[in-house]
Amino acid sequence: MATSKESITVVAPGRICLFGDHQDYLGLPVIACAINRSIQLKGRKNGHNNFKIMMPDINKERHINLNNKIETVSNRDYFASALHVLERYDCIPNVGYDIVITGDIPVNAGLSSSSAVLVAWITFLLEAYGSSHTVDASFIARLSYEAEVLEFKAPGGLMDQFTISLGGSVFLDTVTGAHTPIMQSIDALIIGESGVPKETLGVLGKLGDLANNAIEQVRREVPNFKIAEATKLTYNNHYHLVDASLKPIFLAAINNYLITKEALSIMQQNPLNLQKLGTLMDAHHFELKEHLKITVPIIDNMIDGAKKSGALGAKIVGSGGGGCIVAISTPENEEAVIEGILKGGAKSAYKIKISKGVQII
């Protein structure tokens, strides 16, 4: 049944991964947070049986006729894939809306602008047309994951959709979606935008395949091996079973998992030890740069600029090949860190705050 509301407005935040980049395709946990950069979707009934979707920020427009059943979905057509998925959950549009989508999340920068659009779109559809299922943040996240990843058999895990839907900082099980809110807040998180578009599907697909190949090589000799049970001794015990070209990737998988678990322990303590957290962030970036090779020169320069200006820790955000960095600072030093990132070649740098998840306002 259609809502009686003439208009609906949804706001969905961007997200950053603090710890656990390149772990979700291994089924390992991540620590991520929603940030106060967002996508806003405004829908108003139009009296027609269609969606007119306007995206002025990127100068695009999309029309969807509700009379035409979606049989197949073009690659990465998330508007259509969401409609396809939601039909399975008894959410079926029967009146049209004019929709305007705007936002201040930089595009193709590793802050999940596309996932935020999708989460906002699915939240709007559920609010407008309802579902026979109980709708909550986890349900929205699960449907968004189905529409963005499963529909296209794409690489990637649950992190983006769940972090954006849930909000705050979360320790997330990327297999089940189970999550633990992290109540401690980091006051001075700084984003630096490189201006170089990130690479997602290619990098994730390649590194995911290589990491899983390394794990499979170990399992040929140790059938009960589980990466989720890794300890500090795991690499030394098993590296001889892995091809030389895969050893760095196997090592990064283990070290990043252990770093993420240690970071969770620190973030659950009060008061929060920012110095230790920053040291772990540096260690995580070392794995991403030296073993997974996902940085580019401008990212390296931005990291160096942040550290030389007093950042407690800094790392690349997202799949790699470009995009953004995130740095931890003390509140009194944040302006110096921003300046250092800009001197490192960043297109833009600014403080961000941890925010709420997707909301209807």
Side-chain angles (χ1 to χ4, degrees), residues 337-353:
V337 172
I338 289 172
E339 184 63 25
I341 294 172
L342 291 171
K343 287 181 178 178
K347 172 185 175 182
S348 179
Y350 43 84
K351 179 179 177 180
I352 54 99
K353 294 181 179 179

Side-chain angles (χ1 to χ4, degrees), residues 4 10-11 34 43 92 119-120 140 168 180 187 192 241 243 260 315 339:
S4 59
V10 180
V11 176
I92 301 173
V119 170
I140 292 169
T180 302
D187 290 333
L241 302 174
D243 290 346
T260 300
K315 62 176 282 290
E339 184 63 25

